[in-house]
Every structure is written in structure tokens, then in C-alpha cells.
Amino acid sequence: MSVDIQPSHIDQIKQTNIGLVYRLIDQYGPISRIALSKKSQLAPASITKITRELIDAHLVKEAEFPDLSFRGRPAVGLKIDSKGWQFLCIRINKGSVVFGLRDLNNNLRVEEELPFSLSLNQSFLDCIVDEIDDFFFRHQSCLERLTAISITTNAIIDPNNGIIHSSPYYDIQNIPLGTFLHQRTGLPTFLQHGITAWTIAESLYGAGENCQNIIQIVIDDNVGAGVMTAGQMLHAGNHSVVEIGHTQVDPDGEHCYCGNTGCLETVVGIKNILVRAHRLAESHPDSLLYSISPLTIDSLCQAANQGDLLATNIIHDVGERIGRITAIMVNIFNPEKILIGSPLNGAQNILYPAIQQQIAQLSLPGYSQQVNIVATRFDNTGTLPAASLIKQSLYSGELLIELMQG
């Protein structure tokens, strides 16, 4: 019986195979076509066709490399050709915006952070476009072939349609940022929540590399989580994120901007930790924190590492609170690693055991015993998380198809 394969299915298979071959060349290049065929489990004829198309599009190039199994002339393999290919990364923060210009090998050409606010006579979209135009004008000597735009922000977003539904930083509603920038520039535009993008970056070339199942916990001004299961990001394609920061942990706690009371973020968010530490230090003159002004997270961690009891207790309490909710996630997702992205990593010898203790007590032993808690490789600054969206779209073949079609 013959099977009728729809053209859309054929296109999807082609995209997937091209992305797979590109990823293997990126990870193992220079790599021979024979090795590519073995690693991808694609027929040699398919490898020849795909690599020819990638070479013709100047996305891959041939390179000689020593082949230890043969004497004489070096073998000819394939590696990524990033020359001339660039993409723009944008990170929208509270009161600032970060721009980064990178090549397809993720090498950073230029990056700068600028103040950002909405003027009375300009819309959010107009302000963003003006900042992009000014960035290009200042760095036109660095510009080559721009291929895509990637944007991250901690907001309620629709990644598939490039829409920012609402933001805790700006008074905006249902802004079609992706469509607007695509119409203005003609470039593919990617939008993603900042924590999700950060977790993708860690999975691609950070502390979660080569892991299929990871949980990343972010303890910063925002408290949140990213989850990757079976190599796929949970909620990466819709406006939902793994929401832990707005889980109520203190019914009598302070009012949160989300509308609830006593959210986890109001207790273990970095600003709230500092407020609490400052308040407690006033009644503990024997503590190192009493004489530190201004009190920062770095100085809090340093005091804890020096054995200060008050600082240690504050960080230990944060670890216990994070550990309780992480234990539930461990039971659900059974991760290989738990990544901690936080300025509190400066006192991880106190923070991590507190988290681990709660996980051991509250989750399934078979799950909790095999999980490792490690620091993220990257911090929560710059445009690297936005860059990971480009890498991901190349590996999926989505962006490759657009680039190959010109």
C-alpha cells in the first residue's frame, strides 16, 4: 500500500535534516561526509545533497584536517562558514536595553547597554526602532550581512507570533514586536522570555550541555524557572513559563505586583533579600552586616563565606524556600541537573546544601539522589540568551531554510 506524503511533510523532513547536518558540523567540524552520514544516520547521497546546498549558500565550507587513520594528505571535512553572517540580539530590561551584534559562530562583535524609556510622544515600537537605527548608525563599520533579529525580555509574551502581551517594566499591551520589526527590516525575528532563553543558552553551550533533562532556577530580581525535558523546552512556544516566583509561600506577606500576597519572589527576590538583611542587621551589631554600607548581594555572600551567622542564616533560608518548590519539580521532571542562576552563587557552599537537603527530604529518593546542583555558566547579563534563539533556529533548520532561499 502506498503512503501519500503531503508536500508540507516533505518540507518539514528537509528542514529537520538540514538542521541536523548543520548542528553536527557546528559541533564536530571539521568533520568528513562519511562521519556525518554515520552520526546523522542519513544516506551518503542525502549528506552530499545537503552539504552541497549549505556550501552553495556559504553557510558551510570545506577545510583540511589531519586524519590519524591515514598517512599522507590531510582529509577534507566540513565546518561552519560564519564569515559575513551576522545577527542582532536585543535584551529589553527595566529602564535599559542591551544590543549585541554577533556572527553565526556566536562571536560578539559589539555590545552596549543603553538607557531606555518611553517618551510621551512615542510608542514602544517607535522607541525600539529608533534605538536600533541609532545602534546601526554608530556601528556601521562593523556591519556585514545581517540575517536575523533576536529579542528577550521578562514579560508575558507569545513567542510564536512575536507579541508582548504585557510587561512588568512598561505600560504596554499586546505589542506585535516581531511582526513590526520583520516588516521594517525584512529579517526573521525571534522573541522569547528571558529565563527560557537563558535556559536554552545553558543547554546549548553552558552548564546543561549534553543534558536532555534540566531544571534551571533563577534567583534574581525576578524568581523563575526554565525546564527542558527530553531535549525540548517546556512552554517555549507559548506565553506560559514555569511560574514559581508567584507561588504563595507567606499568606501574611507583602503585596506583590502580580496581585497576590506573599509570593516567593517577594521573599527571595534579590531586592527583598537585601531589604530583609538590612533590617535584621540593625538589631545584630555583632554581625558583619551591621557595618557594611551599602549592603549588596556580593557583600552578603562574602560575610556568609566568612562565617557570619546572620548572613549564613539569610542565605540558608533562601535555599530552604527554593528547595521546597524545586523538590516538587524534581518529582515531576526527574532532571539530570539543576542549574542555579543567581548572584547568590557567590555563597553556593551555603545555598546549595540547603536546596539539596529539601530535595532529599521532599522528593522521591530515586530522583533526588541522582540529581546534581550546579551554577549556570553564564550570568544574567548581556545578549547571550538572545543569541541562543538564533542557534536553536539554525539547529532546527528553520532559519537555515530562510537563509538558503535568500
Side-chain angles (χ1 to χ4, degrees), residues 13 239 394:
I13 292 170
H239 65 266
L394 290 168

Side-chain angles (χ1 to χ4, degrees), residues 281-404:
E282 291 178 342
S283 58
H284 289 76
D286 56 332
S287 170
L288 293 173
L289 303 183
Y290 182 80
S291 58
I292 297 175
S293 181
L295 183 61
T296 66
I297 284 296
D298 286 343
S299 58
L300 176 67
C301 291
Q302 289 172 10
N305 290 332
Q306 292 172 29
D308 183 82
L309 185 60
L310 178 60
T312 298
N313 287 340
I314 290 171
I315 294 174
H316 189 272
D317 178 67
V318 172
E320 286 191 331
R321 291 178 181 273
I322 289 293
R324 291 183 196 121
I325 198 163
T326 304
I328 298 171
M329 299 173 69
V330 166
N331 269 354
I332 296 171
F333 298 110
N334 189 18
E336 301 159 61
K337 282 185 179 180
I338 295 173
L339 314 182
I340 306 295
S342 176
L344 290 172
N345 281 339
Q348 60 183 258
N349 60 314
I350 299 165
L351 180 68
Y352 291 9
I355 296 173
Q356 186 75 64
Q357 183 182 36
Q358 292 300 310
I359 293 173
Q361 289 179 358
L362 301 175
S363 62
L364 189 68
Y367 288 4
S368 63
Q369 290 170 4
Q370 67 179 18
V371 69
N372 294 318
I373 301 177
V374 299
T376 55
R377 183 173 298 174
F378 313 114
D379 60 18
N380 194 21
T381 60
T383 57
L384 188 64
S388 72
L389 305 182
I390 301 296
K391 183 72 76 173
Q392 185 185 54
S393 68
L394 290 168
Y395 285 179
S396 72
E398 179 185 357
L399 183 54
L400 284 175
I401 292 295
E402 294 204 37
L403 298 182
M404 291 166 70

Side-chain angles (χ1 to χ4, degrees), residues 123-369:
S123 69
F124 180 85
L125 293 176
D126 289 336
C127 286
I128 284 288
V129 168
D130 285 349
E131 292 292 350
I132 293 173
D133 289 343
D134 290 345
F135 176 81
F136 286 154
F137 180 77
R138 288 191 300 274
H139 303 290
Q140 54 187 310
S141 61
C142 299
L143 284 174
E144 296 184 60
R145 185 189 300 178
L146 200 63
T147 61
I149 299 174
S150 177
I151 308 158
T152 62
T153 187
N154 290 334
I156 298 176
I157 63 170
D158 177 352
N160 287 338
N161 295 303
I163 297 171
I164 301 178
H165 288 299
S166 64
S167 169
Y169 311 142
Y170 305 100
D171 184 17
I172 54 177
Q173 295 290 327
N174 301 321
I175 298 294
L177 183 57
T179 301
F180 184 81
L181 291 180
H182 178 68
Q183 290 174 345
R184 287 290 298 263
T185 64
L187 297 173
T189 302
F190 303 90
L191 174 69
Q192 188 52 269
H193 191 280
I195 291 177
T196 301
W198 188 4
T199 305
I200 293 171
E202 293 290 340
S203 73
L204 288 174
Y205 26 67
E209 191 174 9
N210 299 321
C211 292
Q212 292 290 298
N213 303 284
I214 59 176
I215 294 173
Q216 177 170 322
I217 303 294
V218 175
I219 315 168
D220 211 316
D221 291 338
N222 296 108
V223 177
V227 174
M228 174 170 282
T229 178
Q232 299 295 318
M233 283 300 302
L234 194 66
H235 298 322
N238 58 47
H239 65 266
S240 300
V241 293
V242 181
E243 186 55 78
I244 64 169
H246 297 286
T247 301
Q248 189 183 72
V249 296
D250 183 5
D252 299 319
E254 69 176 75
H255 185 73
C256 181
Y257 64 83
C258 75
N260 290 332
T261 301
C263 290
L264 183 65
E265 192 168 292
T266 68
V267 179
V268 303
I270 292 300
K271 291 179 180 178
N272 303 83
I273 293 172
L274 290 176
V275 169
R276 180 187 176 206
H278 181 75
R279 184 177 66 249
L280 291 173
E282 291 178 342
S283 58
H284 289 76
D286 56 332
S287 170
L288 293 173
L289 303 183
Y290 182 80
S291 58
I292 297 175
S293 181
L295 183 61
T296 66
I297 284 296
D298 286 343
S299 58
L300 176 67
C301 291
Q302 289 172 10
N305 290 332
Q306 292 172 29
D308 183 82
L309 185 60
L310 178 60
T312 298
N313 287 340
I314 290 171
I315 294 174
H316 189 272
D317 178 67
V318 172
E320 286 191 331
R321 291 178 181 273
I322 289 293
R324 291 183 196 121
I325 198 163
T326 304
I328 298 171
M329 299 173 69
V330 166
N331 269 354
I332 296 171
F333 298 110
N334 189 18
E336 301 159 61
K337 282 185 179 180
I338 295 173
L339 314 182
I340 306 295
S342 176
L344 290 172
N345 281 339
Q348 60 183 258
N349 60 314
I350 299 165
L351 180 68
Y352 291 9
I355 296 173
Q356 186 75 64
Q357 183 182 36
Q358 292 300 310
I359 293 173
Q361 289 179 358
L362 301 175
S363 62
L364 189 68
Y367 288 4
S368 63
Q369 290 170 4

Side-chain angles (χ1 to χ4, degrees), residues 22-35:
Y22 184 91
R23 176 174 63 82
L24 292 171
I25 294 172
D26 192 23
Q27 292 176 337
Y28 298 104
I31 181 173
S32 70
R33 289 170 174 83
I34 294 174

